[in-house]
Every structure is written in structure tokens, then in C-alpha cells.
């Protein structure tokens, strides 16, 4: 996996964020097992609750294109698009990851730049997660 490329694509996706209400711009780049990369940005709404996070935008794009297995996601975000801190996925997005990813291996990369990033496995960010296996 080319981490720098994934980071670059997440930061690029952030530029397309539609976030007039919070001003918090987020971009994501999701690597499928096919090798295809899906970009996503947060898309806000005047009614607030229909807002979609960057991560879920990327996942829903990918799944709707037929990809269901994933290796890694990179997330970059900040107020007015300034990458001051590391933007971690919200609880709802972690749960969507749990649906399609192996918590032991799926990598979540939080990036401030191509050389400044942190990396986690899904099981670290969603311990004891509830997933499809529980219903099997
Ligand atoms: N947001 C994301 O897109 N991803 C995250 O990981 C955290 C939050 C968005 C949702 C909303 O548009 C804005 O950031 C502020 O919460």
C-alpha cells in the first residue's frame, strides 16, 4: 500500500468538502482490496442531521460500485481545511467500517501531511465491536 498516495488523495478530497455550517472540512481516501481508491468528503445539510461524514461518503461510493472488502482508509480534516490536528472517525463511521472490514487488519490512517500521520487498526478504535459475525 502506498501510504503517501492515500494521504495525498485524502487531502485532495478535503478540498471538495461541502461544510458551510461547521466550516470543518474532512476528506477520506479508502483503499479497496481490488486496488481501487475511493475518495469522499463530508457533505453537510441545512437540516443538519442528513450530514454525511467523509468516511461514509467514501464507503458508500465504494460499496455502490461493487467493492466490499477494504484494506485501509486515510482521513484528513480541520477547521477551514487547516490540518492542525488528527481527525479521528466518529462512532457512526467506525460502525460502518465494522460492517465491511476485518477489525484485526483494517488500517485507519489519520494524517496531517504526507509525513505526519498516525495509524491504528479498527479493533483499537472500536474494541468489542458488533458486526456481521454476531448475527451469523
Ligand atoms: N466529520 C467527518 O466528515 N468525519 C469525521 O471523522 C468527523 C466529523 C464531519 C461531519 C461534519 O460535517 C463536520 O465534520 C463537523 O462535525
Amino acid at each position: 500500500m502506498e501510504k503517501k498516495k492515500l494521504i495525498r488523495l485524502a487531502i485532495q478530497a478535503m478540498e471538495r468538502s461541502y461544510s458551510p455550517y461547521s466550516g470543518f472540512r474532512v476528506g477520506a481516501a479508502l483503499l479497496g482490496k481490488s486496488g481501487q481508491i475511493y475518495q469522499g468528503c463530508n457533505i453537510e445539510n441545512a437540516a443538519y442531521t442528513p450530514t454525511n461524514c467523509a468516511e461514509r461518503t467514501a464507503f458508500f461510493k465504494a460499496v455502490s460500485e461493487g467493492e466490499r472488502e477494504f484494506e485501509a482508509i486515510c482521513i484528513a480534516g480541520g477547521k477551514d481545511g487547516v490540518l492542525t490536528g488528527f481527525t479521528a472517525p466518529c462512532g457512526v463511521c467506525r460502525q460502518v467500517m465494522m460492517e465491511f472490514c476485518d477489525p484485526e487488519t483494517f488500517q485507519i490512517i489519520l494524517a496531517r501531511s504526507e509525513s505526519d500521520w498516525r495509524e491504528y487498526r479498527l479493533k483499537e478504535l472500536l474494541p468489542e465491536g458488533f458486526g456481521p459475525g454476531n448475527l451469523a
Side-chain angles (χ1 to χ4, degrees):
M1 195 240 302
E2 226 218 286
K3 195 168 293 168
K4 281 197 170 151
K5 182 180 177 192
L6 211 58
I7 293 172
R8 198 159 53 240
L9 288 172
I11 294 171
Q12 182 193 73
M14 185 184 73
E15 287 160 18
R16 297 194 286 268
S17 163
Y18 176 73
S19 43
Y21 306 108
S22 73
F24 196 86
R25 305 173 76 83
V26 187
L30 174 64
L31 175 63
K33 290 224 167 134
S34 68
Q36 180 82 31
I37 296 172
Y38 303 87
Q39 290 176 295
C41 64
N42 57 330
I43 304 169
E44 297 188 345
N45 190 282
Y48 293 176
T49 52
T51 292
N52 209 55
C53 291
E55 299 89 321
R56 274 177 291 140
T57 301
F59 266 94
F60 296 157
K61 280 175 68 181
V63 173
S64 68
E65 296 296 324
E67 184 106 38
R68 288 196 183 165
E69 292 184 312
F70 303 97
E71 259 181 49
I73 191 168
C74 176
I75 306 157
K79 188 82 182 163
D80 301 322
V82 183
L83 299 175
T84 50
F86 294 101
T87 296
C90 80
V92 172
C93 289
R94 293 177 202 205
Q95 186 61 37
V96 168
M97 292 172 194
M98 186 71 198
E99 187 67 27
F100 296 103
C101 307
D102 177 354
E104 302 281 334
T105 59
F106 185 67
Q107 293 172 273
I108 299 168
I109 301 155
L110 314 182
R112 285 204 297 207
S113 72
E114 281 180 37
S115 57
D116 189 9
W117 46 267
R118 289 178 185 171
E119 187 179 304
Y120 303 90
R121 301 281 159 160
L122 178 56
K123 69 172 177 207
E124 296 176 89
L125 299 189
L126 191 65
E128 305 293 347
F130 185 87
N134 293 92
L135 298 179

